[in-house]
Amino acid sequence: MNLNLESGTFLVAASSEGLGYATAAALADEGARVWIGSRDIAKVSAALDSLRERARKAGSGAEIDGCVLDMTESASIEAWVLKAAEKFGPDLDGIVCNSGGPPPGRFADFDDDQWKSAFDLLVMSAVRLVRASLPGLSVRGGAILVVSSTSVKEPIESLILSNSLRSATAALAKTLSAELAPLGIRVNCLAPGRFATGRVSRIDKAAAERRGITAEQARAASEAVIPLARYGDVGEFGRTACWLLSPAASYLTGQIVSLDGGSTKGVW
Ligand SMILES: NC(=O)c1ccc[n+]([C@@H]2O[C@H](COP(=O)([O-])OP(=O)(O)OC[C@H]3O[C@@H](n4cnc5c(N)ncnc54)[C@H](OP(=O)(O)O)[C@@H]3O)[C@@H](O)[C@H]2O)c1
Protein backbone atom coordinates (compact mmCIF):
# COMPACT_ATOMS: atom_id res chain seq x y z
CA MET A 1 0.00 0.00 0.00
CA ASN A 2 1.34 3.43 -0.89
CA LEU A 3 0.64 5.78 2.03
CA ASN A 4 1.20 8.84 -0.19
CA LEU A 5 3.19 10.69 2.44
CA GLU A 6 6.15 11.77 0.28
CA SER A 7 6.80 15.46 0.88
CA GLY A 8 3.84 15.79 3.27
CA THR A 9 4.64 17.95 6.31
CA PHE A 10 4.09 16.52 9.80
CA LEU A 11 4.71 17.95 13.27
CA VAL A 12 5.39 15.28 15.90
CA ALA A 13 5.46 16.60 19.47
CA ALA A 14 7.50 15.02 22.28
CA SER A 15 9.53 13.02 19.80
CA SER A 16 13.15 12.78 20.93
CA GLU A 17 12.48 9.23 22.16
CA GLY A 18 9.76 6.67 22.80
CA LEU A 19 6.49 6.60 20.88
CA GLY A 20 6.91 10.10 19.42
CA TYR A 21 10.35 9.24 18.04
CA ALA A 22 9.00 6.01 16.55
CA THR A 23 6.21 7.96 14.82
CA ALA A 24 8.69 10.47 13.42
CA ALA A 25 10.86 7.57 12.19
CA ALA A 26 7.93 5.86 10.45
CA LEU A 27 6.94 9.12 8.72
CA ALA A 28 10.54 9.67 7.67
CA ASP A 29 10.64 6.13 6.23
CA GLU A 30 7.76 7.23 3.98
CA GLY A 31 9.72 10.23 2.69
CA ALA A 32 7.78 12.89 4.61
CA ARG A 33 8.98 16.21 6.00
CA VAL A 34 9.06 15.70 9.75
CA TRP A 35 9.41 18.35 12.47
CA ILE A 36 10.30 17.05 15.94
CA GLY A 37 10.79 18.54 19.40
CA SER A 38 11.11 17.95 23.12
CA ARG A 39 12.37 19.84 26.18
CA ASP A 40 15.99 18.69 26.19
CA ILE A 41 17.90 20.15 23.24
CA ALA A 42 20.63 17.50 23.53
CA LYS A 43 18.02 14.78 23.11
CA VAL A 44 16.47 16.62 20.16
CA SER A 45 19.89 16.90 18.48
CA ALA A 46 20.62 13.21 19.03
CA ALA A 47 17.20 12.26 17.63
CA LEU A 48 17.75 14.49 14.58
CA ASP A 49 21.12 12.85 13.93
CA SER A 50 19.71 9.36 14.16
CA LEU A 51 16.59 10.10 12.07
CA ARG A 52 18.67 11.77 9.34
CA GLU A 53 21.10 8.86 9.29
CA ARG A 54 18.17 6.44 9.00
CA ALA A 55 16.71 8.45 6.09
CA ARG A 56 20.11 8.66 4.39
CA LYS A 57 20.65 4.89 4.64
CA ALA A 58 17.12 4.13 3.40
CA GLY A 59 17.30 6.78 0.66
CA SER A 60 13.78 7.81 1.64
CA GLY A 61 14.26 11.47 0.70
CA ALA A 62 12.76 12.54 4.03
CA GLU A 63 13.61 15.96 5.43
CA ILE A 64 13.85 16.08 9.20
CA ASP A 65 14.34 19.04 11.48
CA GLY A 66 13.12 20.34 14.81
CA CYS A 67 13.84 22.39 17.88
CA VAL A 68 13.19 22.56 21.58
CA LEU A 69 9.56 22.23 22.72
CA ASP A 70 7.83 22.18 26.09
CA MET A 71 4.27 20.92 25.68
CA THR A 72 3.29 22.44 29.05
CA GLU A 73 4.10 25.98 27.81
CA SER A 74 1.77 27.81 25.44
CA ALA A 75 4.53 30.12 24.12
CA SER A 76 6.86 27.21 23.48
CA ILE A 77 4.21 25.36 21.44
CA GLU A 78 3.45 28.45 19.35
CA ALA A 79 7.16 29.10 18.70
CA TRP A 80 7.70 25.44 17.74
CA VAL A 81 4.88 25.53 15.16
CA LEU A 82 6.12 28.88 13.81
CA LYS A 83 9.67 27.59 13.37
CA ALA A 84 8.33 24.53 11.54
CA ALA A 85 6.52 26.87 9.13
CA GLU A 86 9.74 28.84 8.57
CA LYS A 87 11.53 25.60 7.69
CA PHE A 88 8.93 23.64 5.71
CA GLY A 89 6.30 26.26 4.82
CA PRO A 90 2.98 26.95 6.59
CA ASP A 91 0.82 24.14 5.10
CA LEU A 92 0.52 21.01 7.22
CA ASP A 93 -0.58 17.44 6.46
CA GLY A 94 -0.66 16.21 10.02
CA ILE A 95 0.22 16.76 13.65
CA VAL A 96 0.82 14.36 16.50
CA CYS A 97 -0.27 15.60 19.93
CA ASN A 98 2.07 13.78 22.26
CA SER A 99 3.68 14.68 25.59
CA GLY A 100 5.38 12.96 28.45
CA GLY A 101 3.13 11.02 30.78
CA PRO A 102 2.14 12.29 34.24
CA PRO A 103 3.67 10.63 37.31
CA PRO A 104 2.17 7.32 38.44
CA GLY A 105 0.27 7.30 41.73
CA ARG A 106 -3.01 6.87 43.57
CA PHE A 107 -5.63 9.41 44.65
CA ALA A 108 -3.96 10.28 47.97
CA ASP A 109 -0.62 10.97 46.27
CA PHE A 110 -1.57 14.19 44.46
CA ASP A 111 -2.49 17.74 45.51
CA ASP A 112 -4.24 20.41 43.41
CA ASP A 113 -1.02 21.70 41.87
CA GLN A 114 -0.10 18.23 40.62
CA TRP A 115 -3.56 17.79 39.10
CA LYS A 116 -3.20 21.18 37.38
CA SER A 117 0.25 20.28 36.02
CA ALA A 118 -1.09 17.01 34.65
CA PHE A 119 -4.00 18.93 33.07
CA ASP A 120 -1.51 21.21 31.30
CA LEU A 121 0.55 18.23 30.17
CA LEU A 122 -2.27 16.03 28.84
CA VAL A 123 -5.21 18.31 27.97
CA MET A 124 -3.96 21.86 27.36
CA SER A 125 -0.98 20.57 25.37
CA ALA A 126 -3.39 19.14 22.78
CA VAL A 127 -5.67 22.20 22.89
CA ARG A 128 -2.72 24.53 22.29
CA LEU A 129 -1.03 22.46 19.59
CA VAL A 130 -4.28 22.07 17.65
CA ARG A 131 -4.98 25.81 17.97
CA ALA A 132 -1.52 26.76 16.71
CA SER A 133 -1.64 24.24 13.84
CA LEU A 134 -5.18 24.79 12.58
CA PRO A 135 -4.35 27.46 9.99
CA GLY A 136 -1.74 25.14 8.46
CA LEU A 137 -3.98 22.06 8.61
CA SER A 138 -6.95 23.87 7.08
CA VAL A 139 -5.26 24.59 3.73
CA ARG A 140 -5.50 21.12 2.16
CA GLY A 141 -7.08 19.18 5.04
CA GLY A 142 -4.91 17.01 7.25
CA ALA A 143 -4.88 14.64 10.17
CA ILE A 144 -4.61 15.16 13.91
CA LEU A 145 -3.45 12.19 15.94
CA VAL A 146 -3.55 12.24 19.72
CA VAL A 147 -1.30 9.81 21.57
CA SER A 148 -3.62 8.46 24.24
CA SER A 149 -3.72 5.28 26.33
CA THR A 150 -5.92 2.22 26.77
CA SER A 151 -6.61 3.76 30.19
CA VAL A 152 -9.42 5.76 28.52
CA LYS A 153 -11.22 2.43 28.01
CA GLU A 154 -9.99 0.58 31.09
CA PRO A 155 -8.47 2.64 33.93
CA ILE A 156 -5.04 1.35 34.99
CA GLU A 157 -4.16 0.82 38.65
CA SER A 158 -1.97 3.56 40.17
CA LEU A 159 -2.22 5.86 37.15
CA ILE A 160 -5.05 8.09 38.39
CA LEU A 161 -3.84 11.28 36.66
CA SER A 162 -3.51 9.58 33.28
CA ASN A 163 -6.79 7.65 33.68
CA SER A 164 -8.75 10.80 34.49
CA LEU A 165 -7.27 13.43 32.21
CA ARG A 166 -6.82 11.35 29.06
CA SER A 167 -10.58 10.89 29.04
CA ALA A 168 -10.92 14.66 28.68
CA THR A 169 -8.47 14.61 25.77
CA ALA A 170 -10.34 11.72 24.14
CA ALA A 171 -13.59 13.71 24.39
CA LEU A 172 -11.80 16.75 22.98
CA ALA A 173 -10.62 14.68 20.00
CA LYS A 174 -14.09 13.24 19.38
CA THR A 175 -15.67 16.71 19.50
CA LEU A 176 -13.02 18.13 17.18
CA SER A 177 -13.52 15.30 14.70
CA ALA A 178 -17.05 16.59 14.04
CA GLU A 179 -16.15 20.30 14.20
CA LEU A 180 -13.19 19.98 11.83
CA ALA A 181 -14.61 17.46 9.36
CA PRO A 182 -15.96 20.23 7.08
CA LEU A 183 -12.36 21.45 6.71
CA GLY A 184 -11.27 17.96 5.63
CA ILE A 185 -9.40 17.43 8.90
CA ARG A 186 -9.56 13.99 10.54
CA VAL A 187 -8.99 13.56 14.28
CA ASN A 188 -8.18 10.24 15.96
CA CYS A 189 -6.60 8.90 19.13
CA LEU A 190 -4.08 6.07 19.14
CA ALA A 191 -4.27 4.29 22.49
CA PRO A 192 -1.19 2.22 23.33
CA GLY A 193 -1.26 -0.59 25.86
CA ARG A 194 2.32 -1.36 26.92
CA PHE A 195 5.27 -0.45 24.71
CA ALA A 196 8.89 -0.88 25.66
CA THR A 197 9.88 2.76 26.20
CA GLY A 198 11.75 4.65 28.91
CA ARG A 199 8.46 5.62 30.52
CA VAL A 200 7.24 2.04 30.81
CA SER A 201 10.61 0.96 32.26
CA ARG A 202 10.17 3.64 34.93
CA ILE A 203 6.60 2.47 35.65
CA ASP A 204 7.78 -1.16 35.93
CA LYS A 205 10.54 -0.06 38.31
CA ALA A 206 8.07 1.83 40.51
CA ALA A 207 5.68 -1.16 40.54
CA ALA A 208 8.58 -3.46 41.44
CA GLU A 209 9.55 -1.25 44.38
CA ARG A 210 5.95 -1.13 45.64
CA ARG A 211 5.61 -4.92 45.46
CA GLY A 212 9.13 -5.85 46.61
CA ILE A 213 9.97 -7.65 43.35
CA THR A 214 12.46 -7.00 40.54
CA ALA A 215 11.66 -4.80 37.52
CA GLU A 216 11.99 -7.91 35.31
CA GLN A 217 9.37 -9.70 37.44
CA ALA A 218 7.08 -6.67 37.20
CA ARG A 219 7.44 -6.67 33.40
CA ALA A 220 6.82 -10.43 33.21
CA ALA A 221 3.62 -9.97 35.28
CA SER A 222 2.43 -7.25 32.87
CA GLU A 223 3.24 -9.34 29.82
CA ALA A 224 1.41 -12.36 31.26
CA VAL A 225 -1.97 -10.57 30.96
CA ILE A 226 -1.40 -9.47 27.35
CA PRO A 227 -2.86 -12.03 24.91
CA LEU A 228 0.10 -11.52 22.53
CA ALA A 229 2.29 -12.09 25.64
CA ARG A 230 4.76 -9.27 25.09
CA TYR A 231 5.17 -5.52 25.17
CA GLY A 232 4.70 -3.72 21.87
CA ASP A 233 7.73 -2.68 19.88
CA VAL A 234 7.83 1.09 19.25
CA GLY A 235 8.13 0.43 15.50
CA GLU A 236 4.69 -1.21 15.64
CA PHE A 237 3.34 1.99 17.19
CA GLY A 238 5.09 4.23 14.65
CA ARG A 239 3.77 2.31 11.66
CA THR A 240 0.18 2.39 12.96
CA ALA A 241 0.42 6.11 13.73
CA CYS A 242 1.82 6.73 10.26
CA TRP A 243 -1.07 4.88 8.63
CA LEU A 244 -3.66 6.79 10.71
CA LEU A 245 -2.04 10.07 9.63
CA SER A 246 -1.96 9.09 5.97
CA PRO A 247 -4.58 9.46 3.21
CA ALA A 248 -4.82 5.64 3.33
CA ALA A 249 -7.01 6.17 6.45
CA SER A 250 -9.13 8.83 4.72
CA TYR A 251 -12.53 7.62 6.04
CA LEU A 252 -11.40 7.11 9.62
CA THR A 253 -12.12 9.91 12.08
CA GLY A 254 -13.37 10.34 15.64
CA GLN A 255 -11.96 6.98 16.74
CA ILE A 256 -9.86 5.71 19.62
CA VAL A 257 -7.73 2.95 18.13
CA SER A 258 -6.36 0.56 20.76
CA LEU A 259 -2.92 -0.87 20.03
CA ASP A 260 -2.37 -3.22 22.92
CA GLY A 261 -1.65 -6.81 21.88
CA GLY A 262 -5.26 -7.62 22.77
CA SER A 263 -5.04 -6.59 26.43
CA THR A 264 -8.18 -4.42 26.59
CA LYS A 265 -10.98 -6.71 27.70
CA GLY A 266 -14.03 -4.85 26.37
CA VAL A 267 -15.56 -5.56 22.96
CA TRP A 268 -15.69 -1.83 21.94
N1 LIG B 1 4.85 3.57 26.36
C1 LIG B 1 3.64 3.11 26.58
O1 LIG B 1 3.43 1.89 26.62
C2 LIG B 1 2.49 4.06 26.80
C3 LIG B 1 1.23 3.50 27.11
C4 LIG B 1 0.15 4.36 27.29
C5 LIG B 1 0.34 5.73 27.17
N2 LIG B 1 1.59 6.23 26.89
C6 LIG B 1 1.73 7.68 26.78
O2 LIG B 1 2.35 8.02 25.55
C7 LIG B 1 3.13 9.21 25.72
C8 LIG B 1 4.55 8.92 25.28
O3 LIG B 1 5.04 7.87 26.08
P1 LIG B 1 6.51 7.26 25.91
O4 LIG B 1 6.44 5.90 26.50
O5 LIG B 1 6.99 7.44 24.53
O6 LIG B 1 7.32 8.22 26.90
P2 LIG B 1 8.91 8.43 27.06
O7 LIG B 1 9.64 7.20 26.65
O8 LIG B 1 9.07 8.93 28.46
O9 LIG B 1 9.26 9.59 26.01
C9 LIG B 1 8.67 10.84 26.20
C10 LIG B 1 9.15 11.83 25.15
O10 LIG B 1 8.43 13.02 25.37
C11 LIG B 1 9.32 14.11 25.62
N3 LIG B 1 8.65 14.97 26.59
C12 LIG B 1 8.33 14.70 27.87
N4 LIG B 1 7.70 15.74 28.42
C13 LIG B 1 7.62 16.70 27.47
C14 LIG B 1 7.09 18.02 27.43
N5 LIG B 1 6.53 18.58 28.50
N6 LIG B 1 7.18 18.71 26.28
C15 LIG B 1 7.76 18.18 25.19
N7 LIG B 1 8.29 16.95 25.16
C16 LIG B 1 8.22 16.22 26.29
C17 LIG B 1 10.61 13.46 26.11
O11 LIG B 1 11.76 14.24 25.83
P3 LIG B 1 12.32 15.39 26.84
O12 LIG B 1 12.62 14.72 28.13
O13 LIG B 1 13.52 15.94 26.11
O14 LIG B 1 11.24 16.42 26.95
C18 LIG B 1 10.62 12.19 25.26
O15 LIG B 1 11.12 12.47 23.97
C19 LIG B 1 3.04 9.56 27.21
O16 LIG B 1 2.04 10.51 27.41
C20 LIG B 1 2.65 8.26 27.85
O17 LIG B 1 1.98 8.43 29.07
C21 LIG B 1 2.65 5.43 26.70
Side-chain angles (χ1 to χ4, degrees), residues 106-256:
R106 298 164 73 87
F107 182 73
D109 297 327
F110 300 114
D111 60 20
D112 278 10
D113 285 342
Q114 288 163 305
W115 275 94
K116 285 178 190 161
S117 297
F119 181 74
D120 268 342
L121 183 70
L122 294 179
V123 184
M124 290 313 295
S125 60
V127 169
R128 291 164 175 158
L129 180 54
V130 170
R131 188 187 286 136
S133 307
L134 258 187
L137 284 169
S138 303
V139 178
R140 47 184 181 241
I144 296 171
L145 186 66
V146 177
V147 177
S148 181
S149 166
T150 52
S151 68
V152 298
K153 298 189 179 182
E154 259 181 26
I156 300 169
E157 191 204 335
S158 296
L159 282 181
I160 194 166
L161 295 176
S162 172
N163 294 343
S164 308
L165 296 168
R166 285 189 197 282
S167 291
T169 312
L172 167 75
K174 184 70 181 174
T175 309
L176 281 175
S177 70
E179 280 192 23
L180 301 181
L183 297 172
I185 298 173
R186 299 180 297 108
V187 189
N188 292 293
C189 294
L190 182 54
R194 287 249 163 172
F195 282 78
T197 65
R199 172 169 169 82
V200 164
S201 298
R202 293 189 292 278
I203 290 173
D204 281 347
K205 198 160 166 267
E209 279 163 16
R210 271 198 317 276
R211 291 188 227 153
I213 56 176
T214 66
E216 291 69 30
Q217 286 169 323
R219 174 169 176 156
S222 291
E223 288 180 328
V225 296
I226 301 172
L228 289 183
R230 62 175 175 84
Y231 283 0
D233 178 85
V234 291
E236 294 173 309
F237 184 93
R239 289 192 294 277
T240 309
C242 193
W243 177 75
L244 286 167
L245 286 162
S246 78
S250 51
Y251 199 52
L252 202 147
T253 195
Q255 301 305 307
I256 301 173

Side-chain angles (χ1 to χ4, degrees), residues 16 19 38-40 43 71 99 166 193 195 197 199 202:
S16 62
L19 304 180
S38 79
R39 294 164 303 177
D40 182 339
K43 279 161 70 174
M71 286 296 279
S99 65
R166 285 189 197 282
F195 282 78
T197 65
R199 172 169 169 82
R202 293 189 292 278

